[in-house]
Amino acid sequence: MEAIAEKKSYQVDSRGYYGNFGGAFIPEMLYPNVEELRENYLSIIAEPSFQKEYNDLLRNYVGRPTPLYRANRLSEKYKTNIFLKREDLCHTGAHKVNNTIGQILMAKRLGKKRVVAETGAGQHGVATATVCALMDIECIVYMGELDIERQAPNVARMKMLGAEVRPATCGSRTLKDATNEAMRHWINNPVDTHYIIGSVVGPHPYPDMVARFQAIISEEMRWQLKEQTGKETPDYVVACVGGGSNAAGSFYHFLDDENVKLVAVEAAGQGLTSGHSAATTALGKPGVLHGSRTILMQTEDGQVVEPFSISAGLDYPGIGPQHAYLYDSGRGIFMSATDEEAVQAAFELTRFEGIIPALESSHALAVLGQLGASENENVILNLSGRGDKDMATYMKYID
Ligand SMILES: *Cc1c(COP(=O)(O)O)cnc(C)c1O
C-alpha cells in the first residue's frame, strides 16, 4: 500500500514542536505551572464563554476590527498595491494588547490572583498593566534597571495603571535579565500567579497560545482584503520580527496558502557585520533560549550575544520557534533593515500617508522596495504600532 504523505503543517505538533524547534526546556521547579497551562489552554480558549468575552473586549475595548487601509501614495511609489493593517490603532498603540486580553482571561479561568510579566521598552508591561487594571488583578512587572532609566514614560504609565515595577539588577540590566527575574518569581508563586509572556517565545504552550491570540490579525486581513479586492489572499504579507508575535498573528491564517509569500523583517541594527545587530536568522544558530529550542545569536561556546537595534521592541537575541521553523523550511522569507533604513521608512510613511509608525513597524516598511512585487499584486504590511513612543528618536533626525 502506498503511504499517505502527511500534510505539511506549520502549526505546533502534539509534543509542542515546529519541526525541530520548540519544546519546553524548563527547570523542574517550573514544570507544574507550565503543565497546568498546557493541559488547559486549548479547552479554555474553545469555551463559548471565553470566546464571547474575548471577542467582546477586542471589539469594544481594543477597537477591533482594525482597518485595512490601501496606502495610495505609497502604492504609486512602489508600483504595487500596498495595504496597511492598522494595529497602531489598537488601544495602547500596538498589537500587544490582543495577547494580554487573551491571557488575562486565561489567568482568571485558571483561578489566578496575580500576574507577573517582563518588559523591555515597557510596551508589553503597559499592555499587561492595562488588562490587570481592567480585571482588578494584582500586577508585577519586572524591568531591567537600565531600561527603567531609559523608558521613563512607560514606567510612569505602568505605575499610574496600578502595577508594581520591579527592577532587575543583574547582568546587563535589560530584557533578558527581567525575563529571568519574572520566571524566578513564577517558580516561587506557582499556585496563585500567571506569567504573561509578551511574544511567541518561551516554553510550549506559550508560542502557540500567543500566536492564537494574535491570529485575529490575519483572520481580519482575509475578509477585509476580500471586501476590497475580491480576493481573500494577498501575494505578500510583511511584518517585523522581534520575538515574532505580530508576524505570527499576521501569517497565521495564510500558513497553508503556499502562494502567499510570508516576509519577516529583522532588525539589522547598525549593519549585519557591525557587531551591533539583532538580525537573528542572519547571524544566529540553533540553541535553547528562554525555554524553547530556536535560533538565537550566540558565541562559539553558546553564550547569548547582546542584541542591538534602534528599536527596543526588536532588540531581542532570538525568535519564536515557529519562525525558526518557517526560516528553516523555506516557507518564510527573512529579510532585514538597518536602523538608518527604518528611520527613513518612518519619515516616508509619515510624509506620504500622514501616519507616524512605531520604529519596529518601520523595519517592515523599509523592505517595500525590495520585494519585487508587481503592479497587479497585493501586499499587506502589518503596521504593528504607532510612533508616539519613538518621538524622542525621530526628533534627532529633524533639523
Ligand atoms: C513589541 C513590539 C514589536 C515586536 O514584538 P513581536 O513579538 O515581534 O511582534 C513590534 N512592534 C511593536 C509596535 C511592538 O510594540
Side-chain angles (χ1 to χ4, degrees):
M1 254 176 65
E2 216 174 15
I4 298 165
E6 207 179 312
K7 190 171 175 295
K8 198 169 173 67
S9 168
Y10 300 99
Q11 296 293 4
V12 77
D13 67 21
S14 56
R15 296 156 40 249
Y17 277 81
Y18 305 86
N20 286 322
F21 300 103
F25 296 81
I26 50 174
E28 205 175 308
M29 302 275 283
L30 212 53
Y31 186 78
N33 309 36
V34 174
E35 188 57 16
E36 181 190 33
L37 194 60
R38 191 190 65 77
E39 278 177 1
N40 294 295
Y41 83 109
L42 288 176
S43 58
I44 289 177
I45 291 175
E47 281 170 15
S49 70
F50 181 98
Q51 281 298 321
K52 182 172 185 320
E53 206 177 348
Y54 175 65
N55 287 317
D56 281 355
L57 283 170
L58 288 186
R59 186 180 173 87
N60 301 314
Y61 186 72
V62 173
R64 305 203 72 91
T66 58
L68 184 72
Y69 164 68
R70 187 181 190 281
N72 288 338
R73 293 188 58 209
L74 214 57
S75 296
E76 204 172 299
K77 167 158 185 189
Y78 290 106
K79 298 191 170 48
T80 185
N81 301 291
I82 298 169
F83 294 83
L84 303 177
K85 181 60 173 160
R86 299 290 309 276
E87 292 301 294
D88 60 315
L89 296 177
C90 289
H91 178 45
T92 71
H95 67 289
K96 285 202 171 72
V97 72
N98 302 325
N99 169 43
T100 58
I101 292 270
Q103 289 213 44
I104 200 75
L105 297 179
M106 181 69 58
K108 269 182 33 176
R109 277 161 178 77
L110 291 170
K112 306 295 179 182
K113 303 277 177 279
R114 186 192 298 133
V115 154
V116 61
E118 83 295 333
T119 197
Q123 293 299 108
H124 173 57
V126 169
T128 302
T130 298
V131 298
C132 286
L134 181 69
M135 295 294 169
D136 193 20
I137 286 185
E138 185 188 346
C139 180
I140 298 169
V141 179
Y142 285 92
M143 190 169 184
E145 204 172 34
L146 191 64
D147 290 334
I148 289 180
E149 284 168 25
R150 292 191 293 193
Q151 312 289 338
N154 275 342
V155 175
R157 280 186 196 107
M158 285 185 270
K159 287 185 174 167
M160 184 160 172
L161 287 159
E164 183 189 338
V165 181
R166 292 193 185 166
T169 55
C170 292
S172 55
R173 300 177 297 143
T174 58
L175 176 60
K176 122 180 113 48
D177 313 292
T179 306
N180 292 335
E181 290 291 338
M183 288 213 172
R184 197 165 303 147
H185 182 102
W186 200 27
I187 289 172
N188 292 328
N189 301 271
V191 179
D192 62 352
T193 302
H194 176 68
Y195 179 21
I196 300 191
I197 294 184
S199 191
V200 283
V201 300
H204 178 67
Y206 276 103
D208 182 50
M209 180 171 67
V210 177
R212 284 169 188 265
F213 291 145
Q214 293 293 358
I216 186 71
I217 299 174
S218 49
E219 190 185 313
E220 291 174 4
M221 284 174 175
R222 284 189 85 101
W223 63 258
Q224 289 175 318
L225 189 72
K226 176 111 192 257
E227 219 171 63
Q228 294 182 39
T229 69
K231 286 188 215 160
E232 218 172 287
T233 55
D235 298 282
Y236 296 83
V237 180
V238 187
C240 65
V241 175
S245 67
N246 88 87
S250 302
F251 297 168
Y252 198 92
H253 290 282
F254 299 114
L255 286 168
D256 296 328
D257 296 297
E258 302 265 354
N259 54 334
V260 180
K261 297 181 188 74
L262 307 176
V263 181
V265 186
E266 298 179 327
Q270 296 173 355
L272 285 180
T273 56
S274 67
H276 302 276
S277 180
T280 303
T281 58
L283 301 170
K285 289 192 186 65
V288 172
L289 179 67
H290 292 144
S292 70
R293 185 168 191 278
T294 186
I295 297 174
L296 63 137
M297 304 196 317
Q298 53 189 307
T299 60
E300 287 291 321
D301 51 354
Q303 295 294 317
V304 177
V305 170
E306 281 295 327
F308 180 89
S309 166
I310 193 170
S311 124
L314 303 185
D315 203 354
Y316 186 69
I319 47 171
Q322 185 182 39
H323 291 298
Y325 185 54
L326 292 178
Y327 172 75
D328 197 50
S329 64
R331 176 70 185 93
I333 300 166
F334 281 70
M335 302 176 81
S336 68
T338 63
D339 293 351
E340 207 59 46
E341 290 165 340
V343 170
Q344 262 179 33
F347 276 88
E348 180 178 84
L349 183 72
T350 305
R351 298 288 164 85
F352 274 56
E353 302 287 347
I355 299 169
I356 302 179
L359 265 169
E360 291 83 4
S361 325
S362 304
H363 286 73
L365 291 162
V367 307
L368 280 174
Q370 300 161 41
L371 295 175
S374 71
E375 236 170 300
N376 301 322
E377 290 187 308
N378 295 321
V379 177
I380 300 183
L381 185 143
N382 193 47
L383 202 67
S384 55
R386 66 178 182 225
D388 306 41
K389 69 184 178 58
D390 299 311
M391 285 315 295
T393 306
Y394 291 147
M395 289 297 284
K396 292 182 193 151
Y397 294 82
I398 301 173
D399 37 43

